[in-house]
């Protein structure tokens, strides 16, 4: 009977273990499956095509080039590998500049033939039209088969999912935004957190410690919106004032808010690690004439290294994955940041802000999932490498 | 000049009166053994001599303790300087989680010695003085935790010797060791006597009689008897001392 019960408990534990692992695995698979469609989605808006003059040697354009052409930043075909020839952008609404309404027909039935005619006559034209307005015998080259390339995503310098005709899903601004904000947060919180941990573990009297420790642990439980609100009301105006910025919502504001949020975790974990240093080891150091500070940095910190490492990992993890507070204070500008004092936008904030408006299965939706994969990979690489480093040092 | 001179020392753990009016003198290059039943205050008194009790909150001391003529509880005394002069070996070996070499070099490094060749020489000398050299000379870079308990304890002695203290305090240094390691430590104490003044706490009567010149018998926080070791073990003045050394209690 007893044996049977033990087997039962064992089985239950195994089951819950496997269910957990399988669930996590399924989430990861789902994430990557949804994201994988991104590179099969068209560069330009669904249902539209781009038409060029037959003589134009340009046969393909990437997403960013299309955007620049339609924004008027690229004005000559030689900038995208064509002949010296000014670019002439023609959208559906522009057709009226070339033809009168009568010529286009009362119910626009003549648009296909006119569009074809226009394309064949103008050497520098780029025509952007819905598919149904393209005639069977369209006299030009169509660029409708293009799909988004990995370079458009991984090397893309702009995130602008509503851009028309070609939505921009550039990873770089978001990735850099995330890295800047997280790096800033870690640089602020790690030294400070370890200092507080040292103070609590080694210097503070029992009374002070018994008061501060629960307080700090309490801070870890405050929801992130509250931190975001605090950041918005206190830190953002403060930064704007002290650096004389046009806007206070910057990467630095995000870093500070994240640092404050990560502190309780870092302090608690690092302090617990330092308290595991045996009294005998500390006494050995002091008995050899070491001062308290020498004992702290030569014995206690090295001894607690692996604990401090996990404190750092947990802190970074919280910083990289944090969404709400960052969304509130960083200004949400998806541009590549050059200093910490510019508005940025992080990957998690982007996903949170945009997933609601992206229709399932669209390129935008898939791009957001791809961002999720990137986030997953970053945290995985960080924790594996830190684990690796701390193991190597330990041996 | 007396190496250690304690006068009218009373010591309290918060409101617990752990030592009562202790007067004890130790001459240079002598070995003194502290004996007495568990809880009588031997370790407490030993830790007074290098101010290790300072680490325990709520402790208080009255009276005076002179080491080489200097009142170590006087204001303005630097405890780290004092501890350089009064080294300590603990009951359980407590090496640092560092290499054998770095364990011994530690005391030098924290005391501001940077000269690499000097450190190397001193480490080798100390390990030799602690009778450990032959066993570790090929693995100085290895972790100290890879040594046996007895070797670790001799490493801790080497570590204490490296900073050239005047006094060596040993709190039951052999209690966690096997007979062979114990014998090695005892031999070592005999050797070290030439250069150091040694105070050793022990529960082992044979050990006290073998290694020490003088013996102090503590009982319930009081120093009952303090005399030449031969006299304590052959002709104690107090019945309590006699009862203790003959094993009738304790
Ligand atoms: N940190 C402390 N706080 C309060 N009381 C203490 C503390 N350390 C020791 N004591 C008390 O002081 C008395 C003397 O202790 P001490 O450790 O000096 O005894 P000891 O003679 O070394 O005993 P043992 O032979 O068991 O090591 C004991 O009654 C003990 O309970
Ligand atoms: Mg003791």
């Amino acid at each position: 009977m007893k044996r049977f019960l033990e087997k039962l408990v064992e089985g239950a534990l195994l089951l819950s273990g496997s269910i957990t692992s399988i669930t996590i695995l399924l989430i990861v698979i789902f994430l990557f499956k949804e994201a994988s469609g991104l590179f099969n989605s068209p560069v330009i808006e669904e249902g539209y095509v781009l038409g060029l003059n037959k003589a134009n040697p340009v046969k393909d354009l990437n997403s960013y080039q299309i955007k620049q052409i339609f924004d008027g930043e690229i004005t000559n075909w030689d900038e995208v590998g064509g002949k010296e020839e000014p670019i002439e952008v023609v959208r559906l609404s522009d057709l009226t500049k070339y033809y009168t309404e009568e010529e286009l027909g009362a119910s626009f039935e003549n648009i296909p033939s006119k569009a074809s005619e226009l394309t064949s006559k103008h050497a520098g034209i780029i025509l952007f039209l819905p598919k149904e307005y393209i005639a069977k015998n369209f006299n030009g080259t169509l660029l409708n088969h293009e799909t988004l390339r990995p370079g458009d995503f991984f090397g893309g310098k702009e995130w602008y999912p509503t851009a028309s005709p070609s939505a921009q899903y550039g990873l770089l601004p978001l990735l850099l935004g995330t890295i800047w904000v997280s790096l800033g947060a870690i640089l602020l919180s790690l030294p400070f957190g370890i200092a507080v941990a040292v103070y609590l573990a080694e210097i503070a009297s029992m009374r002070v410690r018994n008061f501060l420790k629960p307080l700090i642990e309490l801070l870890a439980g405050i929801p992130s919106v509250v931190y975001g609100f605090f950041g918005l009301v206190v830190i953002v105006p403060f930064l704007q004032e002290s650096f004389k910025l046009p806007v206070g919502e910057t990467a630095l504001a995000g870093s500070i808010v994240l640092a404050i949020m990560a502190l309780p975790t870092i302090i608690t974990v690092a302090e617990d690690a330092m308290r595991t240093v045996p009294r005998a080891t500390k006494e050995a150091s002091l008995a050899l004439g070491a001062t308290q500070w020498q004992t702290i940095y030569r014995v206690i910190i090295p001894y607690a290294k692996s604990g401090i490492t996990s404190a750092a990992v947990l802190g970074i993890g919280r910083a990289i994955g944090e969404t709400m507070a960052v969304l509130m204070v960083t200004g949400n500008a998806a541009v590549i940041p050059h200093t910490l004092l510019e508005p940025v936008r992080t990957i998690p904030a982007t996903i949170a802000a945009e997933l609601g408006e992206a229709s399932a299965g669209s390129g935008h939706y898939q791009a957001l999932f791809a961002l999720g994969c990137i986030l997953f990979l970053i945290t995985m690489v960080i924790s594996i490498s830190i684990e690796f480093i701390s193991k190597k040092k330990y041996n | 000049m007396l190496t250690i001179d304690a006068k009218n020392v009373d010591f309290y753990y918060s409101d617990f009166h752990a030592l009562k009016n202790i007067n004890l003198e130790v001459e240079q290059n002598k070995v003194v053994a502290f004996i007495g039943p568990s809880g009588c205050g031997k370790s407490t008194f030993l830790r007074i001599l290098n101010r290790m009790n300072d680490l325990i909150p709520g402790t208080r001391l009255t009276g005076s303790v002179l080491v080489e003529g200097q009142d170590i509880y006087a204001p303005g005394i630097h405890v780290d300087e004092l501890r350089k002069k009064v080294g300590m070996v603990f009951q359980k070996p407590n090496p640092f989680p560092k290499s054998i070499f770095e364990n011994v070099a530690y005391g030098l490094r924290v005391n501001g010695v940077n000269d690499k060749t000097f450190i190397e020489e001193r480490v080798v000398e100390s390990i030799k003085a602690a009778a450990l050299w032959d066993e570790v000379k090929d693995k100085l870079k290895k972790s100290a935790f890879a040594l046996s308990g007895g070797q670790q304890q001799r490493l801790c002695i080497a570590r204490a010797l490296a900073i050239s203290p005047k006094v060596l305090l040993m709190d039951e240094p052999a209690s966690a060791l096997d007979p062979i390691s114990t014998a090695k430590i005892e031999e070592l104490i005999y050797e070290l006597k030439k250069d150091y003044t040694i105070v050793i706490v022990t529960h082992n009567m044979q050990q006290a009689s073998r290694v020490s010149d003088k013996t102090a018998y503590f009982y319930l926080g009081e120093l009952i008897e303090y005399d030449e070791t031969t006299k304590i073990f052959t002709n104690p003045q107090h019945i309590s001392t006699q009862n203790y050394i003959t094993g009738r209690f304790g």
Side-chain angles (χ1 to χ4, degrees):
Chain A
M1 189 59 200
K2 211 166 134 196
R3 275 175 174 277
F4 175 72
L5 270 179
E6 272 186 20
K7 282 275 171 240
L8 208 66
V9 171
E10 209 177 280
L13 294 181
L14 179 69
L15 195 69
S16 53
S18 2
I19 289 178
T20 317
S21 326
I22 290 173
T23 314
I24 293 172
L25 207 67
L26 282 179
I27 292 176
V28 174
I29 290 173
F30 170 71
L31 196 64
F32 279 87
K33 191 185 121 303
E34 292 294 319
S36 65
L38 180 62
F39 301 119
N40 291 325
S41 66
V43 228
I44 53 171
E45 251 168 277
E46 201 76 63
Y48 283 77
V49 288
L50 289 175
L52 303 183
N53 184 288
K54 270 231 171 76
N56 194 332
V58 176
K59 286 288 168 282
D60 62 354
L61 289 168
N62 68 31
S63 173
Y64 191 54
Q65 287 168 334
I66 296 173
K67 175 181 183 275
Q68 284 183 306
I69 288 172
F70 279 80
D71 282 357
E73 282 156 28
I74 293 179
T75 52
N76 199 302
W77 284 110
D78 62 3
E79 291 173 61
V80 291
K83 289 181 293 200
E84 151 73 64
E85 179 78 55
I87 298 178
E88 199 177 340
V89 174
V90 179
R91 297 170 192 256
L92 184 58
S93 56
D94 297 327
L95 286 176
T96 50
K97 288 181 199 158
Y98 301 90
Y99 302 100
T100 62
E101 280 182 32
E102 291 85 71
E103 282 175 304
L104 292 176
S107 50
F108 306 120
E109 67 274 8
N110 295 332
I111 288 183
S113 61
K114 293 296 179 202
S116 177
E117 180 191 307
L118 190 69
T119 310
S120 62
K121 279 192 194 150
H122 294 249
I125 196 170
I126 179 161
L127 184 73
F128 175 61
L129 281 188
K131 266 197 188 107
E132 61 262 31
Y133 289 130
I134 297 302
K136 286 245 157 35
N137 54 352
F138 179 73
N139 192 5
T141 324
L142 288 180
L143 295 181
N144 63 342
H145 54 278
E146 291 287 315
T147 55
L148 211 64
R149 276 164 281 200
D152 293 333
F153 178 68
F154 293 107
K157 295 194 186 68
E158 277 192 34
W159 178 268
Y160 193 2
T162 52
S164 172
S166 183
Q168 298 299 300
Y169 301 121
L171 172 67
L172 288 181
L174 307 183
L175 184 66
L176 289 174
T178 306
I179 291 175
W180 280 66
V181 171
S182 309
L183 207 66
I186 283 307
L187 289 181
L188 289 174
S189 61
L190 212 54
F192 198 67
I194 290 174
V196 176
V198 167
Y199 172 76
L200 283 181
E202 295 302 321
I203 298 162
S205 69
M206 212 52 191
R207 263 244 243 58
V208 175
R209 195 190 103 84
N210 285 346
F211 172 73
L212 279 182
K213 188 89 195 283
L215 201 73
I216 288 171
E217 278 163 1
L218 196 74
L219 288 182
I222 295 179
S224 62
V225 203
V226 178
Y227 283 101
F229 192 63
F230 167 78
L232 203 58
V233 179
V234 178
I235 295 169
V236 167
F238 173 76
L239 288 178
Q240 189 170 2
E241 277 291 299
S242 38
F243 291 100
K244 300 271 173 279
L245 298 172
V247 283
E249 280 106 339
T250 54
L252 186 59
S255 297
I256 294 174
V257 170
L258 279 186
I260 296 174
M261 288 179 65
L263 267 180
T265 319
I266 294 179
I267 293 172
T268 319
V269 177
E271 203 250 6
D272 285 344
M274 285 181 214
R275 292 188 80 78
T276 62
V277 179
R279 214 180 105 133
T281 310
K282 274 188 266 181
E283 285 192 347
S285 167
L286 294 168
L288 288 165
T291 60
Q292 194 180 15
W293 286 114
Q294 287 174 323
T295 305
I296 287 170
Y297 75 77
R298 283 181 186 264
V299 175
I300 293 173
I301 291 181
Y303 196 101
K305 205 163 49 193
S306 72
I308 294 174
T309 316
S310 10
V313 175
L314 290 172
I316 296 174
R318 176 135 204 205
I320 287 186
E322 175 50 39
T323 309
M324 212 46 225
V326 179
L327 190 68
M328 290 166 79
V329 300
T330 50
N332 287 315
V335 288
I336 294 181
H338 299 286
T339 71
L340 271 179
L341 296 173
E342 283 169 39
V344 293
R345 179 188 256 210
T346 64
I347 293 178
T350 306
I351 297 175
E354 295 179 4
L355 198 55
E357 62 200 42
S359 55
S362 67
H364 187 189
Y365 178 87
Q366 287 159 339
L368 291 176
F369 272 91
L371 289 183
C373 295
I374 297 288
L375 201 58
F376 170 77
L377 291 177
I378 294 175
T379 28
M380 202 171 76
V381 166
I382 288 176
S383 52
I384 288 176
S385 52
I386 289 185
E387 187 120 313
F388 184 74
I389 292 167
S390 62
K391 254 208 199 108
K392 211 168 155 190
K393 284 231 180 95
Y394 192 73
N395 287 336
Chain B
M1 188 172 55
L2 292 167
T3 300
I4 296 169
D5 184 5
K7 289 188 199 115
N8 306 322
V9 171
D10 278 89
F11 187 83
Y12 305 83
Y13 288 104
S14 301
D15 46 9
F16 176 66
H17 197 170
L19 288 173
K20 294 159 194 160
N21 195 31
I22 307 293
N23 287 282
L24 184 140
E25 298 171 350
V26 180
E27 286 148 44
Q28 203 182 343
N29 294 14
K30 293 280 187 251
V31 177
V32 172
F34 288 179
I35 60 170
S38 188
C40 67
K42 306 178 297 290
S43 299
T44 304
F45 190 67
L46 198 71
R47 291 164 60 93
I48 281 176
L49 301 177
N50 67 346
R51 291 189 56 170
M52 219 54 186
N53 286 329
D54 289 15
L55 304 175
I56 301 165
T59 56
R60 194 156 54 83
L61 176 136
T62 61
S64 67
V65 182
L66 308 187
V67 172
E68 296 194 316
Q70 195 178 30
D71 184 351
I72 61 170
Y73 282 85
I77 288 287
H78 291 291
V79 275
D80 44 319
E81 294 293 322
L82 166 70
R83 289 175 188 152
K84 233 164 81 182
K85 198 148 71 173
V86 184
M88 186 165 207
V89 177
F90 297 80
Q91 179 169 359
K92 279 206 215 105
N94 54 355
F96 299 121
K98 297 174 189 284
S99 70
I100 294 172
F101 184 93
E102 280 307 318
N103 260 275
V104 183
Y106 184 86
L108 297 168
R109 296 200 197 283
V110 296
N111 285 297
V113 180
N114 290 320
D115 184 345
K116 244 183 114 185
T117 37
F118 177 78
I119 291 179
E120 263 165 39
E121 279 169 22
R122 195 70 203 122
V123 167
V124 174
E125 263 169 43
S126 311
I127 296 178
K128 280 181 179 160
L132 187 62
W133 180 249
D134 291 335
E135 291 152 74
V136 303
K137 60 172 186 271
D138 301 322
K139 45 181 179 183
L140 293 178
K141 293 265 173 297
K142 291 265 166 62
S143 164
F145 288 145
L147 298 174
S148 76
Q151 289 172 328
Q152 284 186 15
Q153 192 63 308
R154 275 177 285 145
L155 181 70
C156 291
I157 295 175
R159 184 173 71 180
L161 297 181
I163 49 173
S164 320
K166 296 284 172 4
V167 182
L168 204 54
L169 309 174
M170 300 175 135
D171 195 347
E172 303 182 49
S175 72
L177 305 182
D178 66 293
I180 294 171
S181 305
T182 304
K184 278 193 178 155
I185 302 245
E186 284 180 18
E187 263 172 56
L188 183 58
I189 292 171
Y190 197 77
E191 284 296 313
L192 294 175
K193 197 168 101 168
K194 292 178 199 141
D195 302 311
Y196 305 90
T197 307
I198 296 172
V199 182
I200 177 171
V201 173
T202 177
H203 276 282
N204 181 329
M205 294 307 114
Q206 282 82 30
Q207 187 171 68
S209 63
R210 276 195 301 262
V211 302
S212 67
D213 301 306
K214 289 180 100 177
T215 298
Y217 171 65
F218 288 81
Y219 182 58
L220 293 178
E222 285 179 76
L223 176 57
I224 305 293
E225 197 168 346
Y226 177 47
D227 217 327
E228 300 296 325
T229 299
T230 42
K231 195 157 169 232
I232 294 274
F233 280 93
T234 53
N235 186 19
Q237 300 298 297
H238 288 261
I239 184 77
S240 160
T241 317
Q242 180 159 24
N243 286 345
Y244 181 71
I245 57 176
T246 53
R248 250 168 282 187
F249 79 92

